[in-house]
Amino acid sequence: MFFRVMVWLGSVVALSACVSVDYSKLPSGSFSGSLFVMWVDEGGSSGDGKFLFVPDPSDPLIFRRSDPQSPGSVIRPGLMYTDGGSIPKIAQVFKGLSPWGYAPAYMIHDWIFTARHCIVDGEDNPRFDQVRDVTFRDSAEILGEAIHGLIAEKRVQPNDLAGGAITTAVDSVVAKRLWDETGACKDLIVKPEDVAAAEAAIPGSSRLAARRTFRLPQETAPVPTQRRAKIITQVTF
């Protein structure tokens, strides 16, 4: 197992050697607000479901970069599906490389990619404006700054391997291919029943959902739902 993990990490480094962001030289960003993630059951006997980041309008998760002039200087993620960080299962044996090890940082990175996919597919909703000018390299640097911020705020323990490995992975050619993908926005649309579940958990959380992206008029309240959902994690900063 250890050998296979090191092969994966070595491959990531090799693939991204020419453009890799130096995690050790990145400054620390800062977080405020709370993080709330739900699991929404897709139904059926398979037990499949999705994770849903639900913004709390009264205490929103906000990330601030150290340089207020940098692209994506202030990021406030909106309602979205998330996988808690796309870290291959094979690498999760390392401390810090579990899907939820750096959950707040992953939410910021997932939001950047969600926005990117919808922007390239023609979405002009203003809620994406905060990250509209973020480049692929910026996205990796922001994740690295977010991890540094969590460590500086003593939210997680320092880990020489995890932060660098994660930052390298999201700066790889594989990640760049995902960044350049078109036609992905339609798959990121939060289903009305999941919007309703989020609204039931945190009233007002769906208020800022995109009119086009989420196909819900801003003034329309979600319909009641029997969809099963449970809280996965909630963190307050």
Side-chain angles (χ1 to χ4, degrees):
M1 173 65 78
F2 179 78
F3 174 75
R4 293 174 64 198
V5 170
M6 293 311 295
V7 168
W8 172 77
L9 290 174
S11 299
V12 169
V13 172
L15 286 171
S16 59
C18 61
V19 294
S20 181
V21 169
D22 189 343
Y23 168 76
S24 67
K25 295 181 179 178
L26 293 174
S28 298
S30 62
F31 282 95
S32 62
S34 62
L35 186 157
F36 184 93
V37 175
M38 299 174 59
W39 175 74
V40 286
D41 190 355
E42 291 294 282
S45 59
S46 66
D48 292 336
K50 293 181 177 180
F51 297 112
L52 185 68
F53 169 80
V54 184
D56 184 344
S58 64
D59 190 27
L61 179 69
I62 297 176
F63 175 71
R64 292 177 175 83
R65 302 187 70 180
S66 61
D67 181 358
Q69 303 304 316
S70 298
S73 59
V74 178
I75 301 177
R76 175 179 172 174
L79 189 69
M80 64 173 170
Y81 292 121
T82 178
D83 58 9
S86 300
I87 305 301
K89 293 184 183 301
I90 192 173
Q92 292 178 21
V93 295
F94 282 109
K95 179 183 177 182
L97 285 180
S98 70
W100 302 105
Y102 297 112
Y106 293 150
M107 295 306 105
I108 301 303
H109 189 261
D110 281 356
W111 177 246
I112 291 172
F113 264 69
T114 294
R116 164 70 180 181
H117 287 317
C118 289
I119 288 169
V120 297
D121 284 351
E123 290 286 357
D124 58 0
N125 196 283
R127 76 196 195 106
F128 296 138
D129 289 349
Q130 56 186 291
V131 294
R132 194 172 294 275
D133 296 331
V134 168
T135 65
F136 174 70
R137 185 179 181 84
D138 289 330
S139 72
E141 291 181 348
I142 288 170
L143 179 57
E145 291 177 25
I147 292 174
H148 274 300
L150 292 174
I151 294 172
E153 295 168 2
K154 295 182 170 44
R155 299 290 177 176
V156 296
Q157 293 296 316
N159 186 302
D160 292 337
L161 171 64
I166 294 169
T167 305
T168 297
V170 299
D171 191 38
S172 67
V173 294
V174 175
K176 182 62 163 64
R177 221 173 289 134
L178 293 173
W179 178 263
D180 292 332
E181 185 180 7
T182 59
C185 185
K186 65 181 184 301
D187 296 324
L188 303 175
I189 298 170
V190 179
K191 297 177 181 178
E193 56 267 36
D194 293 338
V195 174
E199 184 68 20
I202 300 182
S205 60
S206 65
R207 200 175 302 146
L208 298 179
R211 286 179 178 146
R212 291 175 58 203
T213 302
F214 291 94
R215 307 296 193 269
L216 283 179
Q218 193 171 19
E219 299 78 10
T220 301
V223 295
T225 179
Q226 297 300 315
R227 199 173 190 78
R228 289 185 295 162
K230 67 177 180 180
I231 301 170
I232 296 300
T233 184
Q234 185 170 14
V235 181
T236 301
F237 293 89

